[in-house]
Amino acid sequence: MVTTAINKIYLLRLIGKKLSDQQLEESLHQIKAPIDSIDGGTLNIEVTGDRPDLLSAEGIGRSLKGYLGIEKGLPDEKFKSGGGVIFVEPSVREVREFIVAAVIENVRITDDDLKDLIQIQEKLTLTHGRKRKKVAIGLHDAKSLVGPFIYKAVDPDSVLFVPLGKTQKMTMREIAQKHEKGIEYGGIVSGARKWPIIVDSKNQVLSFPPIINGTLTELSTSTKTIFVDITGTDFHSCNIALNIICQDFSDRGALVRTVEIRAGSKTIITPQTAPEKMLLSTEKANKLLGTELSQKQIIEALGKQRISATIKSAVSLECLIPRYRADFLHPVDLIEEVALGFGYNNFEPKAPSVFTKGGVLQRTKFIDSMTDLMVGAGFLQINTPILANSKTALKSLSEIPQIKINNPVSEEYEYVRSSLLPHLLDALSKNTHNPYPQKLFEIGQVAKKDDKSPLKATNDLHLAAVFANSNSNLSDISGTLLSLLDHLKISHNLSPSLLKVFIPGRQGKISGKFNGKGGGSPNIHAGTHSIDLAFLGEINPQALENLKIEVPVCGFEIDLESYV
């Protein structure tokens, strides 16, 4: 969650309706943008990470107009073609592949507007952009620029320009080493042989993304036309950020022009503004919300959330979601919008029809006991998303088949993880600047392919741990694993394994029998046949090199599902 500062008078002017302080506070709370504090005429508003479109006054005003019934459905777009062309060279694929852009005309900027632009730029890249690693935004005064533009990667010592905040020319490497922004964000590109840069047809430098713009295009109160560039590692995320900025300017009365992005034989027009289509079952919506809303009422509720909907059939609606929204992964997200548009205060509380005594699930108690054992052994617990990208597994040399999602929202979440170990290694790769030893563990769900299951997959509970230190070896991790097996009352034996993630000859698998109370799997019974329970070993140096981990690492992973 992040806090954004909004001028109260300007916000009310955008809404076009007088509201008392109490009405405004209540309305903001209902659109998931509650007031954190008030500083004179400035509202400090809390915004969750899934709603980057609410980081600006325009975005909040747009949402309030819908909630208050002033405007409903998809907002108007004043977008036209003719913003120019960007040629993308293949060299950027290795460092920062994607770029989107737009040109904003008829802009009027005051000193306060400049502050607001800087705020939305910084807050968007901080949250939605993951501190510029995933998305970085450049805003440029276009008066001195001559298209077409070129996005390419170059030798960091080959280009000189004057970055913002400086008066002398610097190379890109000097900027990364000496400039404040370079020191803060230079690590994003430092591992690449060539670094990204945007130039115009006169070879004038606009930007060194994701680090800093040049002084040539610095914004001022005399700026009339703005060139917006957004670069990143995921096209979908870049396009959402561009739509947010362009819609904000459009709401202020500016004219937005699209830009052609040409990469080899492929040409796309950005921003891509076509609404996302999603079907909503009215029966499921009512069942989940405990309501009996008609299709007309649901359409009305969605319209207040700036989502247009039409009747597709007697039991479903076709919904059009604006492209500046980043939080729709599943129809259940639409059901939440129905609840917000209907108004949580309008739901009638109902007494539960069944009265039960609450308690802690046995599964939770089991997980807590495993957690206590690992913490007692000196390990730090982490939690990683169950959705991941293929690179995480590939870099760690994991051979376990992954389950691919048919319609991932981004490349960052295209697979359901099948193992925890790659994610622990990824966490180590992001903490090489921290002191060693580092001992991490995670207890969480993984998905495994299973043709016998109705869903063709099953969810299993796993525990994995890694130990990174200058002299770590197999004995450092085996003692912890054996303690866990003793706690589970499993008679076990160790035999060789041949997994790529571990060093040959320095790895093994644990097979065992469950000697305690019957487990959760129908295939496991006290004292019966042996199964593979866990794998352990010293991590393959190739995997460590892929992840830029410079110390030896050992680890294990155990399947706990049968023993919950």
Side-chain angles (χ1 to χ4, degrees):
M1 186 172 290
V2 67
T3 301
T4 187
I6 303 297
N7 183 283
K8 176 184 172 183
I9 295 175
Y10 178 57
L11 178 60
L12 292 173
R13 191 185 307 143
L14 284 171
I15 299 170
K17 183 177 182 178
K18 290 184 178 180
L19 297 174
S20 67
D21 289 348
Q22 183 177 351
Q23 288 175 320
L24 180 59
E25 184 173 357
E26 173 63 21
S27 298
L28 287 169
H29 184 78
Q30 292 298 320
I31 66 167
K32 297 174 68 174
I35 296 175
D36 178 59
S37 62
I38 300 176
D39 184 11
T42 301
L43 306 175
N44 296 309
I45 295 175
E46 290 185 338
V47 180
T48 55
D50 63 336
R51 290 299 305 270
D53 57 298
L54 297 180
L55 289 170
S56 65
E58 291 78 16
I60 293 174
R62 189 185 315 127
S63 186
L64 281 174
K65 281 183 178 181
Y67 176 76
L68 296 170
I70 300 170
E71 292 179 4
K72 297 179 182 178
L74 292 172
D76 294 333
E77 296 174 350
K78 300 181 179 70
F79 294 5
K80 293 185 178 181
S81 59
V85 178
I86 296 178
F87 291 97
V88 182
E89 295 189 357
S91 55
V92 298
R93 292 176 187 166
E94 297 180 3
V95 59
R96 201 169 183 84
E97 182 175 0
F98 300 104
I99 185 170
V100 296
V103 173
I104 317 292
E105 298 179 350
N106 305 330
V107 175
R108 297 178 182 178
I109 300 179
T110 65
D111 288 332
D112 288 338
D113 293 334
L114 273 176
K115 293 178 183 177
D116 290 342
L117 283 175
I118 293 171
Q119 175 179 245
I120 181 66
Q121 182 182 13
E122 291 182 346
K123 296 295 173 67
L124 256 180
T125 52
L126 173 67
T127 55
H128 181 68
R130 308 286 174 84
K131 295 183 179 179
R132 303 192 187 183
K133 185 176 182 180
K134 190 176 182 181
V135 172
I137 302 169
L139 302 175
H140 311 272
D141 189 326
K143 66 182 178 183
S144 302
L145 301 177
V146 181
F149 304 95
I150 301 173
Y151 179 48
K152 58 185 178 179
V154 299
D155 186 306
D157 297 310
S158 65
V159 176
L160 284 163
F161 71 99
V162 182
L164 286 176
K166 302 296 179 183
T167 57
Q168 293 183 338
K169 289 185 177 181
M170 303 171 70
T171 66
M172 297 165 72
R173 192 181 303 279
E174 287 174 335
I175 292 171
Q177 294 173 346
K178 300 177 182 179
H179 194 285
E180 296 83 358
K181 295 298 182 182
I183 294 171
E184 186 174 1
Y185 299 109
I188 298 174
V189 297
S190 61
R193 186 171 56 88
K194 293 184 176 181
W195 296 355
I197 196 166
I198 305 171
V199 298
D200 70 357
S201 61
K202 291 185 176 181
N203 209 36
Q204 300 180 110
V205 176
L206 284 69
S207 177
F208 165 26
I211 313 301
I212 195 72
N213 292 343
T215 55
L216 174 72
T217 60
E218 185 174 6
L219 298 181
S220 68
T221 54
S222 62
T223 298
K224 302 300 180 186
T225 302
I226 295 176
F227 180 83
V228 183
D229 78 77
I230 299 181
T231 63
T233 57
D234 178 69
F235 176 83
H236 181 72
S237 299
C238 291
N239 188 59
I240 287 173
L242 184 60
N243 270 277
I244 290 172
I245 290 175
C246 290
Q247 189 64 55
D248 285 354
F249 275 108
S250 180
D251 290 349
R252 292 165 62 116
L255 172 65
V256 177
R257 292 194 181 275
T258 59
V259 171
E260 290 185 26
I261 310 295
R262 298 181 185 177
S265 60
K266 183 179 179 181
T267 299
I268 60 173
I269 307 296
T270 64
Q272 293 186 349
T273 60
E276 180 184 355
K277 293 182 180 180
M278 190 176 287
L279 290 179
L280 174 63
S281 166
T282 52
E283 181 183 358
K284 287 183 179 179
N286 278 316
K287 183 177 180 180
L288 191 60
L289 297 177
T291 55
E292 296 180 357
L293 300 176
S294 66
Q295 287 186 320
K296 184 178 179 181
Q297 287 175 305
I298 293 176
I299 291 173
E300 174 76 11
L302 290 171
K304 294 174 71 174
Q305 296 302 109
R306 309 314 302 264
I307 297 169
S308 295
T310 54
I311 296 174
K312 183 73 173 178
S313 70
V315 294
S316 66
L317 302 175
E318 182 177 79
C319 305
L320 300 180
I321 304 162
R323 290 296 285 272
Y324 58 76
R325 290 291 296 268
D327 54 328
F328 284 85
L329 300 176
H330 188 276
V332 74
D333 296 314
L334 279 172
I335 297 175
E336 181 188 11
E337 297 299 311
V338 173
L340 288 167
F342 179 71
Y344 282 113
N345 292 338
N346 295 323
F347 284 91
E348 295 182 6
K350 295 180 180 178
S353 58
V354 177
F355 292 91
T356 60
K357 182 180 179 181
V360 179
L361 292 173
Q362 187 62 37
R363 186 182 189 89
T364 303
K365 291 180 180 179
F366 175 80
I367 293 173
D368 288 344
S369 70
M370 293 293 100
T371 301
D372 289 342
L373 283 172
M374 294 302 296
V375 171
F379 285 79
L380 177 69
Q381 186 175 22
I382 67 170
N383 292 292
T384 59
I386 193 170
L387 300 183
N389 59 53
S390 58
K391 295 177 183 177
T392 303
L394 288 173
K395 287 182 179 180
S396 66
L397 306 182
S398 175
E399 304 164 82
I400 302 175
Q402 298 185 91
I403 298 175
K404 194 176 191 306
I405 299 172
N406 284 333
N407 57 339
V409 67
S410 75
E411 290 182 352
E412 290 294 312
Y413 305 110
E414 58 183 344
Y415 288 91
V416 182
R417 69 184 180 190
S418 54
S419 173
L420 298 178
L421 200 54
H423 299 267
L424 291 175
L425 294 174
D426 184 58
L428 288 177
S429 73
K430 294 174 180 176
N431 285 277
T432 54
H433 58 286
N434 286 320
Y436 292 98
Q438 295 180 18
K439 303 172 73 174
L440 305 178
F441 82 98
E442 179 172 10
I443 303 176
Q445 296 286 332
V446 300
K448 297 179 181 178
K449 293 183 179 180
D450 184 356
D451 292 334
K452 296 180 181 180
S453 169
L455 298 176
K456 303 300 180 183
T458 58
N459 290 337
D460 292 342
L461 183 70
H462 277 210
L463 185 157
V466 289
F467 176 50
N469 199 19
S470 59
N471 58 355
S472 65
N473 55 57
L474 189 57
S475 62
D476 292 320
I477 205 76
S478 59
T480 304
L481 177 57
L482 294 176
S483 295
L484 288 176
L485 296 174
D486 290 341
H487 177 78
L488 293 170
K489 299 179 182 179
I490 300 172
S491 61
H492 53 270
N493 61 76
L494 176 65
S495 59
S497 63
L498 295 171
L499 298 179
K500 289 183 180 179
V501 66
F502 299 122
I503 299 174
R506 302 292 296 171
Q507 59 175 291
K509 62 181 179 181
I510 297 288
S511 302
K513 297 177 182 179
F514 184 56
N515 292 327
K517 189 177 178 180
S521 170
N523 298 321
I524 306 299
H525 302 285
T528 62
H529 65 281
S530 178
I531 63 168
D532 291 339
L533 303 174
F535 295 89
L536 73 161
E538 298 175 10
I539 304 300
N540 193 317
Q542 182 59 57
L544 299 180
E545 183 179 341
N546 294 343
L547 294 162
K548 295 181 173 58
I549 300 173
E550 298 179 351
V551 299
V553 179
C554 52
F556 71 79
E557 183 159 352
I558 179 172
D559 185 347
L560 298 175
E561 189 62 35
S562 300
Y563 308 102
V564 177

Coordinates of all heavy atoms in Angstrom, one line a residue, residues 51 96 350 416 420 556 563:
R51 N -4.4 -1.2 -7.6 CA -5.1 -0.2 -8.2 C -4.2 1.0 -8.5 O -4.4 2.1 -8.0 CB -6.3 0.3 -7.3 CG -7.4 -0.7 -7.2 CD -8.1 -1.0 -8.5 NE -8.6 0.2 -9.2 CZ -9.8 0.7 -9.1 NH1 -10.7 0.2 -8.2 NH2 -10.2 1.8 -9.8
R96 N 16.1 -5.0 -21.9 CA 14.8 -4.4 -21.6 C 14.0 -4.4 -22.9 O 14.0 -3.4 -23.6 CB 15.1 -3.0 -21.0 CG 13.9 -2.5 -20.2 CD 14.3 -1.2 -19.4 NE 13.2 -0.7 -18.6 CZ 12.9 -1.2 -17.4 NH1 13.7 -2.1 -16.8 NH2 11.9 -0.7 -16.7
K350 N -27.3 -11.2 7.4 CA -28.1 -12.3 7.7 C -27.4 -13.2 8.7 O -26.2 -13.4 8.7 CB -28.3 -13.1 6.4 CG -29.1 -12.4 5.3 CD -29.2 -13.3 4.1 CE -30.0 -12.6 3.0 NZ -30.1 -13.4 1.8
V416 N 2.1 -22.2 -12.8 CA 1.8 -22.5 -11.4 C 3.0 -23.3 -10.9 O 3.4 -24.3 -11.6 CB 0.6 -23.4 -11.2 CG1 0.3 -23.7 -9.7 CG2 -0.6 -22.7 -11.8
L420 N 9.3 -25.7 -4.7 CA 9.6 -24.5 -3.9 C 11.1 -24.1 -4.0 O 11.5 -23.0 -3.9 CB 9.3 -24.7 -2.4 CG 7.8 -25.0 -2.0 CD1 7.7 -25.3 -0.5 CD2 6.9 -23.9 -2.5
F556 N 17.2 -28.7 0.4 CA 16.3 -29.9 0.3 C 14.9 -29.5 0.1 O 14.5 -28.3 0.3 CB 16.4 -30.8 1.6 CG 15.8 -30.2 2.8 CD1 14.4 -30.3 3.0 CD2 16.5 -29.6 3.8 CE1 13.8 -29.8 4.1 CE2 16.0 -29.1 4.9 CZ 14.6 -29.2 5.1
Y563 N 1.4 -36.4 5.1 CA 1.5 -36.5 6.6 C 0.8 -35.4 7.3 O 1.0 -35.2 8.5 CB 3.0 -36.5 6.9 CG 3.7 -37.5 6.1 CD1 4.5 -37.2 5.0 CD2 3.6 -38.9 6.5 CE1 5.1 -38.2 4.3 CE2 4.2 -39.9 5.8 CZ 5.0 -39.5 4.6 OH 5.5 -40.5 3.9

